[in-house]
Amino acid sequence: NDPYLWWAILVSNWAHFAASTVRLYTRPGAIRNWPVLTLVFPVVAVAAVTGVLILGDYAGRYLFALYLVWSPYHYSRQAHGLSLMYAYRSGCSLDATARRLLLWVCLVPFFWTLLHPNGGLSLVLPRSLYAAFPLRVALMQTLTVLSLAGPVALVFWLRSRRVQGLPLISLVVIVSNAIWWSVFNYFNAFVWATVFHGLQYLAIVSIFHVKDETRRAPNARGWFFHTATFYLTCLVLGWVLFFRWPQAYWLLGFPIMQSGLLVTAIINIHHFIVDAFIWRLRRDPNYQNVVDAPIEATVAHG
């Protein structure tokens, strides 16, 4: 019932989902490099949500469950990616073992959501299964402790190996993701995690976009112009996708509530898959933005 929540979701969450699409299509050679992702996948996504609406609630339950399960996994993986990025920029060199441990620490909140009776799996599994699982509450409490204590333990483990510790901002990213799920109730966690996740994402993707644009045309326009045009484009596209698209289904005779929920689900799934492509750093211009060094040098020394 918060009158400001809709605006908070619009300027952060909806805009951030649109940002991955804007980032995809503004990258030079995107259609040539990813023809299926850029030309075929959007059509498949529209066809999928339309088909599910035609089939009814039974099919919609599985699509929405996929979204609810995938979202906290996506947040955990973003926490892992951002913490690694900040670690690299601070000069912290992590070997394969440390990176693997960092990933597992970031994934603990995701495992916690799988056990929650309001989580995505509860839409496709019998509710009685959660009540019949006697260790569920104890296991969730253990995961809550691990989600908060794990990052601290990892820092001490790195220091025991005389490795430079993770920077404070990396720890803040990891712990904040854990706090959303362990402190708030499940619904509020989903709402506020998406809001703050969106703010994080918009800040990072805007920096990458501006660096790419100024690198291509350093004397054409300043950083403010590129930032403003990128964000305004994301804002308008987010409003169209989340507000006008469900209204189109409503005008075609589908229930507005189901239309909104399923459109939200498919936009999330589209965003998750697009992110898997546009944030691949190896041998990619994004890598230069992370380390602020020429691509050839970083690859050669990697």
Side-chain angles (χ1 to χ4, degrees):
N1 296 325
D2 189 339
Y4 300 104
L5 181 58
W6 186 89
W7 291 102
I9 292 174
L10 169 64
V11 301
S12 63
N13 194 36
W14 290 3
H16 117 268
F17 283 114
S20 61
T21 299
V22 176
R23 173 73 175 162
L24 172 65
Y25 289 99
T26 55
R27 295 186 63 175
I31 295 177
R32 182 182 66 253
N33 295 330
W34 302 310
V36 175
L37 181 68
T38 55
L39 300 177
V40 178
F41 186 50
V43 177
V44 172
V46 173
V49 72
T50 305
V52 169
L53 279 169
I54 293 172
L55 291 173
D57 290 345
Y58 182 78
R61 177 183 298 271
Y62 285 91
L63 179 62
F64 203 71
L66 176 62
Y67 149 61
L68 290 180
V69 171
W70 204 338
S71 286
Y73 174 78
H74 178 70
Y75 301 149
S76 293
R77 288 305 300 257
Q78 175 172 290
H80 174 248
L82 289 177
S83 61
L84 274 179
M85 183 186 73
Y86 291 129
Y88 289 143
R89 290 186 65 86
S90 69
C92 177
S93 180
L94 301 177
D95 59 19
T97 301
R99 291 196 299 270
R100 193 176 303 113
L101 287 174
L102 179 62
L103 174 60
W104 284 109
V105 167
C106 293
L107 286 175
V108 171
F110 163 66
F111 296 133
W112 181 91
T113 63
L114 295 179
L115 298 173
H116 201 284
N118 292 327
L121 289 180
S122 66
L123 294 178
V124 295
L125 296 177
R127 299 283 294 184
S128 59
L129 182 65
Y130 290 88
F133 183 28
L135 297 178
R136 182 184 63 81
V137 175
L139 186 55
M140 289 185 67
Q141 291 173 342
T142 302
L143 291 175
T144 298
V145 174
L146 287 177
S147 69
L148 300 173
V152 178
L154 180 62
V155 169
F156 282 107
W157 180 76
L158 289 174
R159 289 186 177 179
S160 70
R161 302 178 67 199
R162 297 185 178 180
V163 176
Q164 179 181 343
L166 291 172
L168 180 60
I169 191 171
S170 294
L171 291 176
V172 169
V173 168
I174 300 169
V175 173
S176 63
N177 185 57
I179 289 176
W180 292 333
W181 299 105
S182 59
V183 174
F184 298 111
N185 66 48
Y186 194 84
F187 176 76
N188 286 339
F190 232 97
V191 170
W192 292 112
T194 56
V195 169
F196 287 103
H197 167 89
L199 292 175
Q200 285 181 154
Y201 189 97
L202 283 168
I204 297 298
V205 76
S206 296
I207 292 172
F208 275 67
H209 175 79
V210 170
K211 285 192 173 185
D212 284 347
E213 292 299 316
T214 54
R215 187 180 297 122
R216 284 195 287 267
N219 300 318
R221 293 193 169 71
W223 66 268
F224 181 81
F225 172 83
H226 294 300
T227 303
T229 54
F230 178 78
Y231 179 70
L232 287 175
T233 304
C234 297
L235 200 64
V236 173
L237 181 59
W239 178 74
V240 171
L241 290 174
F242 284 92
F243 194 73
R244 290 304 185 189
W245 188 7
Q247 281 189 336
Y249 283 123
W250 174 67
L251 292 174
L252 292 174
F254 294 104
I256 188 62
M257 181 63 72
Q258 286 88 334
S259 300
L261 291 175
L262 294 177
V263 165
T264 297
I266 204 67
I267 292 173
N268 274 264
I269 294 169
H270 178 271
H271 168 75
F272 301 153
I273 295 174
V274 167
D275 263 9
F277 286 86
I278 66 174
W279 292 110
R280 288 176 176 172
L281 295 184
R282 279 295 179 188
R283 301 183 184 275
D284 187 274
N286 283 329
Y287 195 82
Q288 186 177 358
N289 291 333
V290 171
V291 298
D292 276 339
I295 300 172
E296 293 79 5
T298 56
V299 173
H301 290 85

Short mmCIF file of all heavy atoms in Angstrom, two decimals, residues 131-169:
data_model
loop_
_atom_site.label_atom_id
_atom_site.label_comp_id
_atom_site.label_asym_id
_atom_site.label_seq_id
_atom_site.Cartn_x
_atom_site.Cartn_y
_atom_site.Cartn_z
N ALA A 131 5.70 -29.08 5.12
CA ALA A 131 5.34 -29.35 6.51
C ALA A 131 5.88 -30.70 6.97
O ALA A 131 6.19 -30.89 8.16
CB ALA A 131 3.82 -29.32 6.66
N ALA A 132 6.01 -31.65 6.05
CA ALA A 132 6.47 -32.99 6.41
C ALA A 132 7.98 -33.08 6.49
O ALA A 132 8.52 -34.13 6.88
CB ALA A 132 5.95 -34.00 5.38
N PHE A 133 8.68 -32.05 6.13
CA PHE A 133 10.15 -32.06 6.15
C PHE A 133 10.60 -31.52 7.50
O PHE A 133 10.68 -30.32 7.72
CB PHE A 133 10.68 -31.20 5.01
CG PHE A 133 12.17 -31.19 4.88
CD1 PHE A 133 12.94 -32.27 5.30
CD2 PHE A 133 12.82 -30.09 4.33
CE1 PHE A 133 14.31 -32.26 5.18
CE2 PHE A 133 14.19 -30.07 4.20
CZ PHE A 133 14.94 -31.16 4.62
N PRO A 134 10.92 -32.41 8.46
CA PRO A 134 11.13 -31.97 9.84
C PRO A 134 12.35 -31.08 10.03
O PRO A 134 12.39 -30.25 10.95
CB PRO A 134 11.29 -33.28 10.62
CG PRO A 134 11.74 -34.28 9.59
CD PRO A 134 11.08 -33.87 8.32
N LEU A 135 13.36 -31.21 9.19
CA LEU A 135 14.58 -30.44 9.37
C LEU A 135 14.58 -29.14 8.57
O LEU A 135 15.59 -28.44 8.54
CB LEU A 135 15.79 -31.29 8.96
CG LEU A 135 16.05 -32.55 9.78
CD1 LEU A 135 17.25 -33.30 9.23
CD2 LEU A 135 16.27 -32.20 11.25
N ARG A 136 13.46 -28.83 7.92
CA ARG A 136 13.45 -27.68 7.04
C ARG A 136 13.76 -26.39 7.78
O ARG A 136 14.61 -25.59 7.36
CB ARG A 136 12.10 -27.55 6.34
CG ARG A 136 12.02 -26.39 5.36
CD ARG A 136 10.64 -26.26 4.76
NE ARG A 136 9.63 -25.96 5.76
CZ ARG A 136 9.39 -24.74 6.23
NH1 ARG A 136 10.09 -23.70 5.79
NH2 ARG A 136 8.46 -24.54 7.14
N VAL A 137 13.08 -26.14 8.91
CA VAL A 137 13.28 -24.90 9.66
C VAL A 137 14.70 -24.80 10.18
O VAL A 137 15.36 -23.75 10.08
CB VAL A 137 12.26 -24.80 10.81
CG1 VAL A 137 12.55 -23.57 11.66
CG2 VAL A 137 10.83 -24.73 10.27
N ALA A 138 15.21 -25.91 10.72
CA ALA A 138 16.58 -25.91 11.24
C ALA A 138 17.59 -25.67 10.13
O ALA A 138 18.57 -24.95 10.31
CB ALA A 138 16.87 -27.24 11.94
N LEU A 139 17.33 -26.26 8.97
CA LEU A 139 18.24 -26.08 7.84
C LEU A 139 18.19 -24.64 7.34
O LEU A 139 19.23 -24.04 7.00
CB LEU A 139 17.87 -27.05 6.73
CG LEU A 139 18.81 -27.10 5.52
CD1 LEU A 139 20.24 -27.37 5.95
CD2 LEU A 139 18.34 -28.16 4.53
N MET A 140 17.01 -24.04 7.31
CA MET A 140 16.90 -22.64 6.89
C MET A 140 17.62 -21.72 7.87
O MET A 140 18.29 -20.76 7.45
CB MET A 140 15.42 -22.24 6.78
CG MET A 140 14.69 -22.86 5.60
SD MET A 140 12.99 -22.25 5.44
CE MET A 140 13.29 -20.53 4.99
N GLN A 141 17.51 -22.00 9.16
CA GLN A 141 18.21 -21.19 10.15
C GLN A 141 19.72 -21.33 9.99
O GLN A 141 20.47 -20.35 10.12
CB GLN A 141 17.78 -21.60 11.55
CG GLN A 141 16.34 -21.24 11.88
CD GLN A 141 15.88 -21.80 13.21
OE1 GLN A 141 16.49 -22.72 13.77
NE2 GLN A 141 14.77 -21.26 13.73
N THR A 142 20.17 -22.54 9.69
CA THR A 142 21.60 -22.76 9.46
C THR A 142 22.09 -21.99 8.24
O THR A 142 23.15 -21.36 8.26
CB THR A 142 21.89 -24.26 9.27
OG1 THR A 142 21.44 -24.98 10.43
CG2 THR A 142 23.37 -24.51 9.05
N LEU A 143 21.29 -22.01 7.18
CA LEU A 143 21.66 -21.28 5.96
C LEU A 143 21.66 -19.77 6.20
O LEU A 143 22.47 -19.04 5.61
CB LEU A 143 20.71 -21.64 4.83
CG LEU A 143 20.83 -23.06 4.27
CD1 LEU A 143 19.75 -23.32 3.23
CD2 LEU A 143 22.21 -23.30 3.68
N THR A 144 20.75 -19.29 7.05
CA THR A 144 20.74 -17.87 7.39
C THR A 144 22.04 -17.46 8.05
O THR A 144 22.65 -16.44 7.70
CB THR A 144 19.56 -17.55 8.32
OG1 THR A 144 18.33 -17.84 7.65
CG2 THR A 144 19.56 -16.08 8.73
N VAL A 145 22.49 -18.27 9.01
CA VAL A 145 23.76 -17.99 9.69
C VAL A 145 24.92 -18.05 8.71
O VAL A 145 25.81 -17.18 8.69
CB VAL A 145 23.97 -18.97 10.86
CG1 VAL A 145 25.35 -18.78 11.48
CG2 VAL A 145 22.89 -18.79 11.92
N LEU A 146 24.92 -19.07 7.84
CA LEU A 146 26.00 -19.21 6.87
C LEU A 146 26.03 -18.05 5.88
O LEU A 146 27.10 -17.62 5.46
CB LEU A 146 25.84 -20.53 6.12
CG LEU A 146 26.18 -21.81 6.89
CD1 LEU A 146 25.89 -23.03 6.02
CD2 LEU A 146 27.65 -21.80 7.32
N SER A 147 24.85 -17.56 5.49
CA SER A 147 24.81 -16.47 4.52
C SER A 147 25.45 -15.21 5.07
O SER A 147 26.01 -14.40 4.31
CB SER A 147 23.37 -16.19 4.11
OG SER A 147 22.62 -15.64 5.18
N LEU A 148 25.39 -15.01 6.40
CA LEU A 148 25.97 -13.82 7.02
C LEU A 148 27.39 -14.07 7.51
O LEU A 148 28.24 -13.17 7.46
CB LEU A 148 25.09 -13.37 8.19
CG LEU A 148 23.65 -12.99 7.83
CD1 LEU A 148 22.83 -12.72 9.08
CD2 LEU A 148 23.62 -11.78 6.90
N ALA A 149 27.66 -15.28 7.99
CA ALA A 149 28.99 -15.59 8.52
C ALA A 149 29.96 -16.03 7.43
O ALA A 149 31.18 -15.88 7.59
CB ALA A 149 28.89 -16.68 9.59
N GLY A 150 29.42 -16.58 6.33
CA GLY A 150 30.28 -17.09 5.27
C GLY A 150 31.24 -16.06 4.70
O GLY A 150 32.43 -16.34 4.54
N PRO A 151 30.76 -14.85 4.35
CA PRO A 151 31.69 -13.86 3.80
C PRO A 151 32.81 -13.49 4.77
O PRO A 151 33.96 -13.31 4.36
CB PRO A 151 30.79 -12.65 3.53
CG PRO A 151 29.42 -13.22 3.37
CD PRO A 151 29.37 -14.39 4.31
N VAL A 152 32.48 -13.40 6.06
CA VAL A 152 33.51 -13.07 7.06
C VAL A 152 34.52 -14.20 7.15
O VAL A 152 35.75 -13.98 7.21
CB VAL A 152 32.86 -12.81 8.43
CG1 VAL A 152 33.92 -12.50 9.47
CG2 VAL A 152 31.86 -11.66 8.32
N ALA A 153 34.03 -15.44 7.16
CA ALA A 153 34.92 -16.59 7.22
C ALA A 153 35.84 -16.64 6.00
O ALA A 153 37.02 -17.00 6.10
CB ALA A 153 34.11 -17.88 7.32
N LEU A 154 35.31 -16.29 4.84
CA LEU A 154 36.12 -16.29 3.62
C LEU A 154 37.23 -15.26 3.72
O LEU A 154 38.37 -15.52 3.28
CB LEU A 154 35.23 -15.99 2.42
CG LEU A 154 35.92 -15.96 1.05
CD1 LEU A 154 36.53 -17.31 0.73
CD2 LEU A 154 34.94 -15.55 -0.05
N VAL A 155 36.96 -14.09 4.30
CA VAL A 155 38.00 -13.07 4.46
C VAL A 155 39.13 -13.59 5.34
O VAL A 155 40.32 -13.44 5.00
CB VAL A 155 37.39 -11.79 5.06
CG1 VAL A 155 38.49 -10.82 5.48
CG2 VAL A 155 36.47 -11.12 4.05
N PHE A 156 38.78 -14.22 6.46
CA PHE A 156 39.82 -14.75 7.35
C PHE A 156 40.59 -15.89 6.69
O PHE A 156 41.80 -16.04 6.89
CB PHE A 156 39.19 -15.23 8.67
CG PHE A 156 38.85 -14.11 9.62
CD1 PHE A 156 37.54 -13.73 9.83
CD2 PHE A 156 39.86 -13.41 10.29
CE1 PHE A 156 37.23 -12.69 10.70
CE2 PHE A 156 39.56 -12.38 11.15
CZ PHE A 156 38.25 -12.02 11.36
N TRP A 157 39.89 -16.69 5.89
CA TRP A 157 40.58 -17.78 5.18
C TRP A 157 41.58 -17.23 4.17
O TRP A 157 42.70 -17.74 4.04
CB TRP A 157 39.54 -18.65 4.47
CG TRP A 157 40.15 -19.79 3.71
CD1 TRP A 157 40.64 -20.95 4.22
CD2 TRP A 157 40.32 -19.86 2.29
NE1 TRP A 157 41.12 -21.76 3.20
CE2 TRP A 157 40.93 -21.12 2.02
CE3 TRP A 157 40.02 -19.01 1.23
CZ2 TRP A 157 41.24 -21.52 0.72
CZ3 TRP A 157 40.33 -19.40 -0.06
CH2 TRP A 157 40.93 -20.64 -0.31
N LEU A 158 41.20 -16.17 3.47
CA LEU A 158 42.13 -15.55 2.52
C LEU A 158 43.34 -14.97 3.25
O LEU A 158 44.49 -15.08 2.77
CB LEU A 158 41.42 -14.44 1.74
CG LEU A 158 40.37 -14.90 0.71
CD1 LEU A 158 39.64 -13.70 0.12
CD2 LEU A 158 41.02 -15.71 -0.41
N ARG A 159 43.11 -14.35 4.39
CA ARG A 159 44.23 -13.79 5.14
C ARG A 159 45.15 -14.88 5.67
O ARG A 159 46.36 -14.69 5.76
CB ARG A 159 43.71 -12.94 6.30
CG ARG A 159 43.08 -11.62 5.84
CD ARG A 159 42.70 -10.74 7.00
NE ARG A 159 42.16 -9.46 6.54
CZ ARG A 159 41.73 -8.50 7.34
NH1 ARG A 159 41.76 -8.69 8.67
NH2 ARG A 159 41.28 -7.37 6.84
N SER A 160 44.57 -16.04 6.03
CA SER A 160 45.41 -17.15 6.51
C SER A 160 46.34 -17.67 5.42
O SER A 160 47.38 -18.24 5.70
CB SER A 160 44.52 -18.29 7.03
OG SER A 160 43.84 -18.93 5.95
N ARG A 161 45.93 -17.45 4.18
CA ARG A 161 46.78 -17.85 3.04
C ARG A 161 47.64 -16.69 2.56
O ARG A 161 48.29 -16.78 1.53
CB ARG A 161 45.89 -18.33 1.88
CG ARG A 161 45.00 -19.51 2.24
CD ARG A 161 44.13 -19.88 1.05
NE ARG A 161 44.91 -20.41 -0.06
CZ ARG A 161 44.49 -20.46 -1.32
NH1 ARG A 161 43.29 -19.99 -1.62
NH2 ARG A 161 45.25 -20.97 -2.26
N ARG A 162 47.62 -15.58 3.33
CA ARG A 162 48.40 -14.38 3.01
C ARG A 162 48.03 -13.83 1.63
O ARG A 162 48.89 -13.38 0.87
CB ARG A 162 49.90 -14.67 3.09
CG ARG A 162 50.33 -15.07 4.50
CD ARG A 162 51.82 -15.24 4.58
NE ARG A 162 52.22 -15.56 5.95
CZ ARG A 162 53.49 -15.78 6.32
NH1 ARG A 162 54.47 -15.69 5.44
NH2 ARG A 162 53.76 -16.07 7.57
N VAL A 163 46.72 -13.89 1.36
CA VAL A 163 46.18 -13.31 0.15
C VAL A 163 45.46 -12.02 0.54
O VAL A 163 44.80 -11.96 1.58
CB VAL A 163 45.19 -14.27 -0.55
CG1 VAL A 163 44.55 -13.61 -1.76
CG2 VAL A 163 45.91 -15.56 -0.95
N GLN A 164 45.61 -10.99 -0.29
CA GLN A 164 44.92 -9.74 0.00
C GLN A 164 43.41 -9.99 0.12
O GLN A 164 42.81 -10.65 -0.73
CB GLN A 164 45.18 -8.72 -1.11
CG GLN A 164 44.46 -7.40 -0.89
CD GLN A 164 44.72 -6.42 -2.02
OE1 GLN A 164 45.65 -6.60 -2.78
NE2 GLN A 164 43.89 -5.38 -2.12
N GLY A 165 42.82 -9.49 1.20
CA GLY A 165 41.41 -9.74 1.45
C GLY A 165 40.49 -9.03 0.47
O GLY A 165 40.90 -8.12 -0.25
N LEU A 166 39.25 -9.47 0.45
CA LEU A 166 38.25 -8.81 -0.39
C LEU A 166 38.05 -7.39 0.08
O LEU A 166 38.04 -7.11 1.29
CB LEU A 166 36.92 -9.57 -0.32
CG LEU A 166 36.87 -10.95 -0.97
CD1 LEU A 166 35.54 -11.62 -0.62
CD2 LEU A 166 37.02 -10.85 -2.47
N PRO A 167 37.84 -6.45 -0.83
CA PRO A 167 37.55 -5.07 -0.41
C PRO A 167 36.21 -5.00 0.30
O PRO A 167 35.34 -5.86 0.12
CB PRO A 167 37.54 -4.30 -1.73
CG PRO A 167 37.23 -5.32 -2.76
CD PRO A 167 37.86 -6.59 -2.29
N LEU A 168 36.04 -3.96 1.09
CA LEU A 168 34.83 -3.80 1.87
C LEU A 168 33.59 -3.78 0.99
O LEU A 168 32.55 -4.35 1.35
CB LEU A 168 34.91 -2.52 2.71
CG LEU A 168 33.69 -2.21 3.59
CD1 LEU A 168 33.46 -3.33 4.60
CD2 LEU A 168 33.89 -0.87 4.30
N ILE A 169 33.68 -3.13 -0.17
CA ILE A 169 32.49 -3.03 -1.03
C ILE A 169 32.05 -4.41 -1.52
O ILE A 169 30.85 -4.66 -1.70
CB ILE A 169 32.76 -2.08 -2.21
CG1 ILE A 169 31.45 -1.78 -2.93
CG2 ILE A 169 33.81 -2.65 -3.16
CD1 ILE A 169 31.58 -0.68 -3.97
#
